[in-house]
Amino acid sequence: MLRRPLTRLASVLQAPSVSGIIRSLAILVVGVIAVGGLLPFLDRFEPIRTWLAIPLGVILAWQVVVNLGWAGVGLVVTRRLLPVGLPPIERLCISAAVGVTGFAFGLYLLGALHLFKPAFAAGLALAFLAAGLPSLLRWWRQAAASDPFGELPKRWLGTAVAVFGIFGIGMAYLGVLTPDAINYDSRWMHLSSAQDYAREGRLVAFPGDWQRMYPHLGSILHTWDFLVPGLSEPLTRWMMALHTEFSLFLWTLVGVGCAVRWLAAEKRVRGAWAAFFLFPGIFVYDGNMGGSQDHVAASFAMPLFMLSVRLTAQRSDAAFALWGIVGAGALLSKFQSLYFIGPMTVVLVWQMVRAGESFRLACRRILRVAGIILATVVVVTAPHFGKNIVFSGNPFYPLAQDWFTGSRPTVPDAPLLVRYLLTDWNCRPSGDAWNRFVQALGLTFSFAFKPHYAFMGNLPTFGFLFTLTLPMLLFVTGARRLWVGAMVSLMALFCWASTYLVDRNLQIILPLLVATTAAVLVRAWAVGRFARLGVIALVALQIIWGGDLWFAGSDRTTSSISLIRSTLDGRARSRFAGMSADYFALDRVLPKDAVVLVHHWHPQLGINRRTYLDWAGFQGLVDYRGFKNVRDFYDRLRALGVTHVVYLPGEQAGSSKQEDVILLSLALGYGQPRTRFGMFEMFPLPAAAPPSRPPLQVVTIGLEKYADGLYDISDLGTCRFLPVAYQHYPPPRLRPGAAGFDPLLASADAVMVGTGVPLDASVSAMLAREFQMAVPYPGLSVYIRRNA
C-alpha cells in the first residue's frame, strides 16, 4: 500500500531540481553555522562592534539605497516625460540626475517643515527606492536585452583601458575614504551647513557667513548623510558625505561614457569613461573630491549635454521639462554651473533652428520651450531662493544687495565688499573689456599650461589632452558631432576664463572636456596605423607626466590605508583619534546652547554649535568699523547672543588694524579664562559688560602703510584685502616729536609694531612695564595696555 507513494517520493528526491535545492540549502546551513561559530571566536581578539566594516557597511548599504532611489524615481519621471528616444544607459544617466534633484527638493521640503529627523531622512530614501524599484527592474530587463554597455575593444587595448580605469577609480576611492580628505571649503561651508541643518532639525539661515547662503545642493544632500540612522561616530558621518560625493562621481563616469558614444557616432564604445583619469587634476588638492560642490555640479554636466542633443528630435515639448530639472539641479549645486548651462542652451537653440522647420515655426517652438524650461527651473529652485527671501529679503543674498536694498543682515558698503572680497577681485580678469576678451580667448586654449589659483605652484596639473587633440579634428572624417562637443567645451572654458580664474572651478566642466577628448581619440584611432602611433605617443606622455600627480594626495591615501589597517594594528577604538582634534576638543567643552564667534577663520566643521564669522566681506553681522572701544564690540556680541569667542593667536592678522586691536583688547582685558585647544584659543564672553570708555588710542611703529604716530581707533579701519584704490590710510593724529614715542605711549591703549623694527630702550621698557604682548602676527606684533 505504501510502495507507490514511497517510490514517488524517492523519484522526487532524486530529481535534478530538487537535489540542487537540497544541496544548496545544505551549503547555506553549513555557511551559517560556520559564521555563527567564527564570530564569537574573532570577537575574543577584537570586539566585532569596533570593526571598521560595521560603519562602512552601514555607509555602503545606505549609498546603495539612495542611489537606486535616485535612479528609480528618475526613471519614473523620464519615462513619463520622454517615453522613447533614449538608449537605456543614457536614460539611466539622465534619470539619476533627475532623481538627485528630486531628492534634494524633498529634503528642502522636510527642512522647511522642521522635519530634519533620522526617521524622515530614512523614510525619504526608502520611499524613493520603493517608488522607483519597478522602473529599475524594467530598465534592467530592457538594458540586458539591448546590451547597453557595448563591448570592450579587442585584445590588449581592452585590457589596458579596463585596468587603467579601475585603477583610477580605486585611487579616487582611497582619496575619499578617510575623513582627513575633507577640504578647507567643505569644513567651512558645505559639510558645516549640513551639520547645522541636522543639529537644528530644519533649514536655518547663516547670517554670519555669506558663503553659506549660496545655493549648495551638496549641503542639502549631506544633511541626509548626517541624519540617517546607524552611525554614531561624527567622523563616520563625514565619511558618509564623502561616499555620497563619490557616488555622484561614478554617475559622472557613466555620463562621460554616454556622451562619448554620441560624440564619436559609435554605438559600441566601451571603457571610454576611463579617459577621465587622463586628467590627473582630479587627484590634486582643490581639484580632488573632498566634500565640496564642484563634483556635485559636474555630475549634471553630461545628463544636460545628452538632453541638449537628444530632445529636439522629440515631438512633445513637455520633454523639455527634463532639461529644466537637470539644469536647475546644476544651478542649485553651484552658480558656476552656468559655465556649461550657457553653452548647452546655445546647442539646444541651434538644434531647434536646424530641425528643418521654417524660421517662424522654429522661433515659436523656441519660445514655448523657453517657457517650459524657465517655469521648471523656477519651481525646482524655489526652495532655495524662497528660503533666502524669508531669511534675508533677497532671493540672491548675499549678491544683489544694491538691488535689494532691504537685504538683511547687512553692513555699510556691503555691495562693495561682496564685489571685491566675497568674490575675490584677485581672481578676476583685469583691464578694459577688450583686454579681458583677448585674455579670456587666449586662456581658453592655454588654461592647461598656465595654472592660476592652484596649490602646487606653477606646476600644470590639470591635463593637456583636450587642447592638444583639437587639431586632430581637422583630419578625422564625419566629425560634425565632435565639433559640437569641442565648441561647447570651448564656450564653457571661455565663460570660466572671462569671469573667475579659480582652477578648482574647471572641475565643473571637466566631464565635457573628457568626453570630447575621448571621442576625438576614438575617431583618430580609427583613421589608421600611423594615427594610432600618434595617439599612443600623446596619451603615453600624458600618463607619464600625470603619474606622479596620482599620488599628489598621498596624505589622504595614507590616512585611508591607516584607517583600513586600524583593527589589525590594535587601534580599532582610537582609529579616529587625532582627526580634527582641535575642533572636537572645543565641541566637548562648549555648552550645548553656546553661540560662538569664530574670529578671522572660516572652517567650523566639528564645532557643532551655532557659529558666526567676523571676517570682513564674508558676513553682514559684525562690522568692526563701527566699534570705538571694547564696550561697543561687547554690546554687539551680546545682542547677537554670542556666548564664546574663538580665535587663532598669531595665525594671521585681521582684515584691518582696528579689528585686531578691538578683538585682542576684549580677549586680554576681559576674556577669562582663556583656554587653548591646539591652534585655537577660546574664552567666554564675560557676564559683566566692560566699562564705557573714550575711543581707543593706538600707536603704530614701523608699519608698512600707516605712518608712525598716535591714531584714533576709527582711523585704522581700512581693509587690507580691498583693491588699492579703496584703501585709505590717514595721517596720525599725533606724530612722535623730540621726546620720541614716550608721550604717545603714555596715552595709548594699544601699540602695533612692525616685525624687526628696532625700538629705543625707553620704548621697550615702557612696553614691558605697561603693556602685554597680545600676539606676534607675521610682520606685526600687537601690545595691549595692562588692565585696559
Side-chain angles (χ1 to χ4, degrees), residues 303-539:
L304 196 66
F305 177 77
M306 298 313 304
L307 286 170
S308 299
V309 299
R310 295 287 194 189
L311 281 180
T312 50
Q314 302 300 313
R315 295 182 179 179
S316 172
D317 290 343
F320 287 90
L322 287 174
W323 201 98
I325 293 172
V326 176
L331 193 62
L332 282 173
S333 299
K334 199 166 183 177
F335 276 139
Q336 281 84 355
S337 296
L338 291 169
Y339 293 161
F340 63 75
I341 292 175
M344 289 178 191
T345 303
V346 173
V347 170
L348 195 64
V349 172
W350 176 71
Q351 291 275 81
M352 285 189 284
V353 168
R354 64 182 297 273
E357 299 176 336
S358 67
F359 180 75
R360 184 177 180 181
L361 291 176
C363 288
R364 287 183 177 178
R365 192 183 190 202
I366 289 170
L367 290 175
R368 290 197 309 271
V369 166
I372 292 170
I373 290 175
L374 182 60
T376 305
V377 170
V378 169
V379 170
V380 175
T381 60
H384 168 76
F385 293 112
K387 171 178 69 75
N388 277 6
I389 291 173
V390 171
F391 289 136
S392 304
N394 173 359
F396 308 108
Y397 186 83
L399 306 175
Q401 292 190 51
D402 45 355
W403 295 352
F404 296 89
T405 54
S407 299
R408 61 184 188 276
T410 190
V411 293
D413 303 322
L416 177 73
L417 297 175
V418 169
R419 187 176 306 118
Y420 290 109
L421 298 183
L422 187 65
T423 55
D424 191 349
W425 64 276
N426 294 292
C427 298
R428 300 205 297 268
S430 59
D432 57 30
W434 173 250
N435 284 330
R436 292 198 302 271
F437 173 81
V438 173
Q439 292 173 24
L441 189 62
L443 193 55
T444 299
F445 295 93
S446 65
F447 72 97
F449 306 93
K450 185 180 180 182
H452 287 81
Y453 188 88
F455 287 84
M456 296 192 71
N458 294 321
L459 193 67
T461 62
F462 187 83
F464 315 110
L465 290 185
F466 171 76
T467 304
L468 297 179
T469 56
L470 287 178
M472 294 182 183
L473 286 171
L474 301 173
F475 307 103
V476 299
T477 58
R480 184 182 65 82
R481 290 186 177 184
L482 295 179
W483 280 106
V484 171
M487 294 309 298
V488 171
S489 300
L490 289 171
M491 284 189 286
L493 282 168
F494 182 81
C495 291
W496 168 81
S498 302
T499 53
Y500 203 55
L501 303 181
V502 175
D503 291 15
R504 178 184 66 247
N505 290 335
L506 287 169
Q507 296 295 324
I508 297 172
I509 61 174
L510 179 57
L512 270 172
L513 310 185
V514 172
T516 302
T517 301
V520 172
L521 292 174
V522 167
R523 295 299 301 275
W525 183 269
V527 171
R529 293 182 178 178
F530 295 119
R532 293 176 185 177
L533 290 176
V535 168
I536 291 172
L538 183 56
V539 171

Side-chain angles (χ1 to χ4, degrees), residues 15 73 76 98 113 144 173 196 199 235 255 302 383 489 521 567 586 618 624 631-632 642 724 743:
V73 169
V76 172
V98 171
L113 296 172
Y173 183 67
D196 287 359
R199 183 189 64 250
L235 285 164
M302 290 295 90
S489 300
L521 292 174
T567 301
L586 275 170
F618 291 89
Y624 282 93
R631 177 63 179 269
D632 292 344
V642 171
V724 174

Side-chain angles (χ1 to χ4, degrees), residues 740-753:
F741 283 97
D742 290 2
L744 305 184
L745 293 174
S747 58
D749 299 291
V751 182
M752 311 186 86
V753 181

Side-chain angles (χ1 to χ4, degrees), residues 658 706 710-718 728-733:
Q658 183 175 10
Y706 285 100
L710 179 70
Y711 290 84
D712 186 275
I713 188 67
S714 60
D715 296 332
L716 304 177
T718 295
H728 175 62
Y729 298 95
R733 302 293 176 97

Side-chain angles (χ1 to χ4, degrees), residues 532-603:
R532 293 176 185 177
L533 290 176
V535 168
I536 291 172
L538 183 56
V539 171
L541 181 57
Q542 174 62 76
I543 292 174
I544 292 170
W545 165 254
D548 290 353
L549 300 175
W550 284 47
F551 300 92
S554 59
D555 55 337
R556 301 186 295 273
T557 303
T558 301
S559 178
S560 293
I561 294 172
S562 175
L563 197 63
I564 295 169
R565 287 181 50 91
S566 57
T567 301
L568 180 65
D569 292 341
R571 296 182 293 103
R573 294 176 178 80
S574 60
R575 61 170 56 97
F576 295 115
M579 295 183 180
S580 299
D582 299 350
Y583 294 87
F584 285 114
L586 275 170
D587 180 71
R588 285 190 293 269
V589 171
L590 287 166
K592 293 299 182 183
D593 59 349
V595 178
V596 183
L597 177 78
V598 180
H599 171 65
H600 207 66
W601 185 251
H602 288 142

Side-chain angles (χ1 to χ4, degrees), residues 137-175:
L137 294 174
R138 185 168 67 169
W139 174 87
W140 179 259
R141 289 192 295 267
Q142 293 175 348
S146 62
D147 186 24
F149 303 104
E151 58 187 17
L152 282 171
K154 296 179 180 179
R155 299 176 184 172
W156 64 269
L157 183 59
T159 302
V161 169
V163 170
F164 180 74
I166 292 171
F167 182 65
I169 289 176
M171 288 295 296
Y173 183 67
L174 281 178

Side-chain angles (χ1 to χ4, degrees), residues 58-388:
V58 172
I59 290 170
L60 295 177
W62 277 118
Q63 288 300 323
V64 169
V65 169
V66 77
N67 277 269
L68 291 177
W70 294 341
V73 169
L75 282 170
V76 172
V77 176
T78 56
R79 288 189 186 282
R80 185 175 296 274
L81 294 176
L82 187 59
V84 295
L86 287 177
I89 193 65
E90 286 184 27
R91 183 177 294 278
L92 184 68
C93 175
I94 293 169
S95 296
V98 171
V100 168
T101 306
F103 192 77
F105 191 89
L107 285 169
Y108 268 115
L109 294 183
L110 289 180
L113 296 172
H114 295 210
L115 295 178
F116 277 154
K117 308 292 183 184
F120 287 98
L124 182 65
L126 293 172
F128 264 61
L129 178 62
L133 194 57
S135 291
L136 272 172
L137 294 174
R138 185 168 67 169
W139 174 87
W140 179 259
R141 289 192 295 267
Q142 293 175 348
S146 62
D147 186 24
F149 303 104
E151 58 187 17
L152 282 171
K154 296 179 180 179
R155 299 176 184 172
W156 64 269
L157 183 59
T159 302
V161 169
V163 170
F164 180 74
I166 292 171
F167 182 65
I169 289 176
M171 288 295 296
Y173 183 67
L174 281 178
V176 299
L177 176 61
T178 171
D180 281 336
I182 294 172
N183 61 27
Y184 183 95
D185 281 358
S186 186
R187 294 174 185 272
W188 167 14
M189 294 175 278
H190 312 305
L191 289 192
S192 62
S193 296
Q195 172 185 265
D196 287 359
Y197 287 145
R199 183 189 64 250
E200 299 295 332
R202 59 189 174 88
L203 294 174
V204 295
F206 302 106
D209 193 344
W210 280 346
Q211 284 278 14
R212 293 205 277 172
M213 296 297 286
Y214 283 149
H216 292 146
L217 181 140
S219 296
I220 295 297
L221 296 179
H222 295 325
T223 302
W224 179 85
D225 297 320
F226 275 69
L227 287 172
V228 289
L231 299 172
S232 57
E233 164 64 48
L235 285 164
T236 59
R237 298 287 182 182
W238 302 11
M239 291 172 65
M240 172 72 95
L242 291 169
H243 277 76
T244 295
E245 183 181 11
F246 184 73
S247 69
L248 292 173
F249 172 69
L250 295 180
W251 284 115
T252 300
L253 296 182
V254 174
V256 168
C258 294
V260 171
R261 287 191 185 189
W262 186 88
L263 289 166
E266 296 281 351
K267 293 184 179 180
R268 295 179 180 271
V269 178
R270 196 175 190 185
W273 54 267
F276 206 101
F277 301 108
L278 294 175
F279 293 79
I282 184 69
F283 299 108
V284 177
Y285 183 80
D286 220 31
N288 66 302
M289 287 175 280
S292 57
Q293 299 293 298
D294 304 301
H295 297 284
V296 176
S299 68
F300 291 94
M302 290 295 90
L304 196 66
F305 177 77
M306 298 313 304
L307 286 170
S308 299
V309 299
R310 295 287 194 189
L311 281 180
T312 50
Q314 302 300 313
R315 295 182 179 179
S316 172
D317 290 343
F320 287 90
L322 287 174
W323 201 98
I325 293 172
V326 176
L331 193 62
L332 282 173
S333 299
K334 199 166 183 177
F335 276 139
Q336 281 84 355
S337 296
L338 291 169
Y339 293 161
F340 63 75
I341 292 175
M344 289 178 191
T345 303
V346 173
V347 170
L348 195 64
V349 172
W350 176 71
Q351 291 275 81
M352 285 189 284
V353 168
R354 64 182 297 273
E357 299 176 336
S358 67
F359 180 75
R360 184 177 180 181
L361 291 176
C363 288
R364 287 183 177 178
R365 192 183 190 202
I366 289 170
L367 290 175
R368 290 197 309 271
V369 166
I372 292 170
I373 290 175
L374 182 60
T376 305
V377 170
V378 169
V379 170
V380 175
T381 60
H384 168 76
F385 293 112
K387 171 178 69 75
N388 277 6

